[in-house]
Amino acid sequence: MVVARTPLIAGNWKMNLDHLQAIAFVQKLDWALKDAKHDFASVEVAVFPPFTDLRSVQTIVNGDKIEFAYGAQDVSAHDSGAYTGEVSGAFLSALGCGYVLIGHSERRQYHGETDEIVAAKVKAAVKHGLVPVICVGETAEDLEAHGASAVPVAQLEVALAGLPKKADIVVAYEPVWAIGSGQAATPEQAEQVAAPLRAVIARMMGEAAAAKTRILYGGSVGASNIAGFMREPNVDGALVGGASLKINDFSAIIRYQKHVGV
Ligand code: PGA
């Protein structure tokens, strides 16, 4: 089944930019892309600011008719109630978020997020009308012990268990050793994991879901290596950390089709 998947370039700001900086950044990025006549229908753009920026991003996106999608970097597994410090998917939906990152390796590593917690958050996101960007990836030790795909495949299997087959999802393959290290995977390495991840989606959610789901690569993506990833048949975009905070770099990544002749 051949389904055209619109590439998605997503910027994970992590804990950077306060709400005032967020407004200025979104505006400048929009100007840069509009100046370059970027076609948002051919490459979708999404930003993932800190929670405290989301209301400001919503306001500037709506007010200036900016074609970016946006989302949060985490969501609670619960709907509401006595969960101090948590943020409900219902609140994110009310702020116009289309997406939410779930299970980023920094959440797994520093906040004890297990595969089961990730699965519960994925269900909560879908319940509240958000598209979860489900992050999976192996550490350097996992890579040595089990090869590249075993851990990401196992993580995705748990994350998708019990999910309605028609749920819209995005999967981000981010080898932990490649994140923030300047040492990206090769396009071939990314494809060697993206293909089995798509097979997991096919097995658990059906062929139609597998054909339409975007699988992103993340980990030290920059303007100079994006094109290689985008040439791989199972890589449909990128989750970009450090380079997403620089207007020139991020807009060049988004415009990969123009400057490298993919
Ligand atoms: P990086 O981060 O692009 O800075 O490696 C990617 C991520 O953590 O999503």
Side-chain angles (χ1 to χ4, degrees):
M1 188 184 321
V2 180
V3 177
R5 295 184 289 269
T6 304
L8 171 62
I9 303 292
N12 173 13
W13 294 3
K14 310 194 181 188
M15 198 170 71
N16 294 291
L17 307 184
D18 66 26
H19 72 289
L20 297 174
Q21 294 167 320
I23 293 169
F25 184 91
V26 165
Q27 225 159 14
K28 281 189 202 145
L29 181 64
D30 182 49
W31 290 333
L33 291 171
K34 278 181 181 149
D35 274 355
K37 302 208 180 341
H38 177 67
D39 175 10
F40 288 89
S42 72
V43 177
E44 187 182 349
V45 177
V47 293
F48 291 85
F51 285 128
T52 50
D53 297 4
L54 287 170
R55 173 66 178 145
S56 305
V57 169
Q58 178 190 34
T59 303
I60 192 79
V61 161
N62 290 347
D64 286 11
K65 299 197 172 21
I66 293 174
E67 292 184 74
F68 304 171
Y70 55 90
Q73 299 170 13
D74 186 27
V75 64
S76 176
H78 308 284
D79 294 346
S80 65
Y83 301 102
T84 301
E86 299 258 300
V87 176
S88 168
F91 307 162
L92 298 177
S93 274
L95 284 175
C97 291
Y99 294 97
V100 61
L101 300 182
I102 298 181
H104 189 280
S105 69
E106 287 148 19
R107 301 290 317 166
R108 293 177 189 261
Q109 190 180 346
Y110 306 133
H111 301 273
E113 286 195 11
T114 61
D115 290 345
E116 289 68 29
I117 292 172
V118 169
K121 291 184 171 188
V122 167
K123 285 202 187 73
V126 170
K127 175 177 177 186
H128 293 294
L130 303 162
V131 176
V133 178
I134 305 167
C135 303
V136 297
E138 82 288 2
T139 62
E141 296 74 40
D142 295 331
L143 180 64
E144 182 119 333
H146 312 289
S149 63
V151 166
V153 159
Q155 289 172 335
L156 188 61
E157 284 171 345
V158 179
L160 298 186
L163 206 59
K165 284 193 164 41
K166 58 177 188 356
D168 266 336
I169 60 166
V170 171
V171 175
Y173 166 53
E174 298 203 301
V176 180
W177 47 269
I179 294 176
S181 66
Q183 186 151 27
T186 64
E188 296 72 27
Q189 282 175 310
E191 175 64 19
Q192 276 164 17
V193 179
L197 292 176
R198 196 174 303 284
V200 171
I201 302 168
R203 183 156 42 78
M204 297 186 69
M205 299 181 72
E207 289 295 339
K212 72 166 194 206
T213 298
R214 273 102 42 106
I215 299 179
L216 315 182
Y217 166 77
S220 297
V221 170
S224 61
N225 63 14
I226 181 67
F229 293 111
M230 297 309 292
R231 278 191 206 104
E232 298 296 337
N234 284 294
V235 177
D236 308 306
L239 182 55
V240 185
S244 79
L245 296 167
K246 298 178 193 135
I247 304 279
N248 288 346
D249 289 11
F250 195 49
S251 57
I253 293 168
I254 291 163
R255 298 179 60 252
Y256 70 93
Q257 292 170 327
K258 293 289 178 291
H259 62 101
V260 284
V262 170

